[in-house]
C-alpha cells in the first residue's frame, strides 16, 4: 500500500548540469554506438570530446546529452509520515525526464532515509527529537539532448 503525502509548496534546488558525449559509426545499413564519455562537469570538456570525435573519420554521428538533478524539498512533521510498513509514493518523473526517487532528509546531519519506518527508527534513537527538521524530498534526474552550439560557457 502506498501513501500520498499532503501537497505543499516545495523548495526547489537545481544542480549544475553535467554532460556526456556519445559517438556512433556506420556499418552497412546499421548505425552502431561506439562510445559514451563519463559525465563531464564542464562545457569545455564537452567541446574537447566533441572535437576529438570529429577527427575520427569513421564517426557518423555525435550526440551530447545534458543531465540535471533537481531536488524538491517539502518540510513535514513526523505525524505526516506514512503509517508503519507503508511506502511513500514516488512521484512520476515528467515524460522527458529519466528517473525520480523519493526519500526523507533529517537535519542537522543531512541524513537521507529511504522509508518512513527508517525515519521513525532514527527519530526514536535520537536523544532529543525536537531539535531536528524533517523533509520529504523528491530527486528528479533529467536527461535531454543538446546541440554543441547550445552549451553554456564555463564560468
Amino acid at each position: 500500500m502506498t501513501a500520498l503525502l499532503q501537497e505543499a509548496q516545495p523548495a526547489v534546488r537545481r544542480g549544475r548540469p553535467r554532460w556526456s558525449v556519445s559517438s556512433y559509426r556506420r556499418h552497412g545499413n546499421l548505425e552502431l554506438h561506439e562510445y559514451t564519455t563519463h559525465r563531464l562537469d564542464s562545457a569545455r570538456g564537452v567541446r574537447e570530446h566533441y572535437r576529438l570525435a570529429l577527427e575520427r573519420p569513421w564517426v557518423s554521428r555525435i550526440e551530447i546529452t545534458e543531465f540535471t538533478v533537481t531536488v524538491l524539498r517539502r518540510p513535514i512533521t513526523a505525524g505526516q509520515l506514512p503509517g508503519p510498513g507503508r511506502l511513500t509514493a514516488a512521484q512520476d518523473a515528467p515524460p522527458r525526464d529519466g528517473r525520480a526517487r523519493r526519500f526523507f532528509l533529517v537535519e542537522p546531519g543531512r541524513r537521507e532515509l529511504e522509508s518512513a519506518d527508517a525515519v521513525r527508527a532514527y527519530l526514536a534513537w535520537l536523544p532529543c527529537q525536537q531539535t531536528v527538521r524533517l523533509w520529504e524530498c523528491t530527486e528528479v534526474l533529467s536527461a535531454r539532448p543538446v546541440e554543441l552550439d547550445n552549451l553554456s560557457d564555463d564560468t
Side-chain angles (χ1 to χ4, degrees), residues 1-3 78-88 115-121:
M1 186 174 252
T2 300
Q80 290 176 289
L81 290 168
R86 297 178 73 188
L87 299 176
T88 303
S115 71
D117 290 338
V119 172
R120 277 190 284 280

Side-chain angles (χ1 to χ4, degrees), residues 103-121:
F103 60 94
F104 298 97
L105 183 66
V106 180
E107 292 178 334
R110 302 197 54 84
R111 183 175 179 104
E112 288 185 15
L113 300 164
E114 299 296 325
S115 71
D117 290 338
V119 172
R120 277 190 284 280

Side-chain angles (χ1 to χ4, degrees), residues 60-114:
S60 61
R61 181 169 60 97
I62 304 168
E63 187 175 275
I64 302 170
T65 304
E66 180 181 83
F67 299 93
T68 306
V69 175
T70 304
V71 178
L72 298 99
R73 293 178 10 149
R74 183 173 73 90
I76 63 171
T77 64
Q80 290 176 289
L81 290 168
R86 297 178 73 188
L87 299 176
T88 303
Q91 288 181 324
D92 292 330
R96 68 177 181 83
D97 296 336
R99 179 182 52 147
R101 95 178 164 100
R102 174 81 43 93
F103 60 94
F104 298 97
L105 183 66
V106 180
E107 292 178 334
R110 302 197 54 84
R111 183 175 179 104
E112 288 185 15
L113 300 164
E114 299 296 325

Side-chain angles (χ1 to χ4, degrees), residues 4 11 47 54 76 79 85-86 90-91 120-121 123 139 144-145:
L4 294 172
R47 287 184 182 92
L54 279 176
I76 63 171
R86 297 178 73 188
Q91 288 181 324
R120 277 190 284 280
L123 293 176
E139 179 182 78
R144 68 182 185 101

Side-chain angles (χ1 to χ4, degrees), residues 18-93:
R18 299 177 79 199
W19 301 271
S20 68
V21 179
S22 300
S23 69
Y24 299 83
R25 62 185 169 86
R26 303 288 299 156
H27 182 75
N29 291 335
L30 300 174
E31 185 172 61
L32 305 173
H33 175 259
E34 185 173 79
Y35 81 93
T36 298
T37 65
H38 59 283
R39 302 273 169 90
L40 302 167
D41 291 322
S42 73
R44 186 173 350 130
V46 172
R47 287 184 182 92
E48 179 64 13
H49 279 276
Y50 196 95
R51 185 189 64 75
L52 291 171
L54 279 176
E55 291 177 357
R56 297 183 177 100
W58 59 87
V59 171
S60 61
R61 181 169 60 97
I62 304 168
E63 187 175 275
I64 302 170
T65 304
E66 180 181 83
F67 299 93
T68 306
V69 175
T70 304
V71 178
L72 298 99
R73 293 178 10 149
R74 183 173 73 90
I76 63 171
T77 64
Q80 290 176 289
L81 290 168
R86 297 178 73 188
L87 299 176
T88 303
Q91 288 181 324
D92 292 330

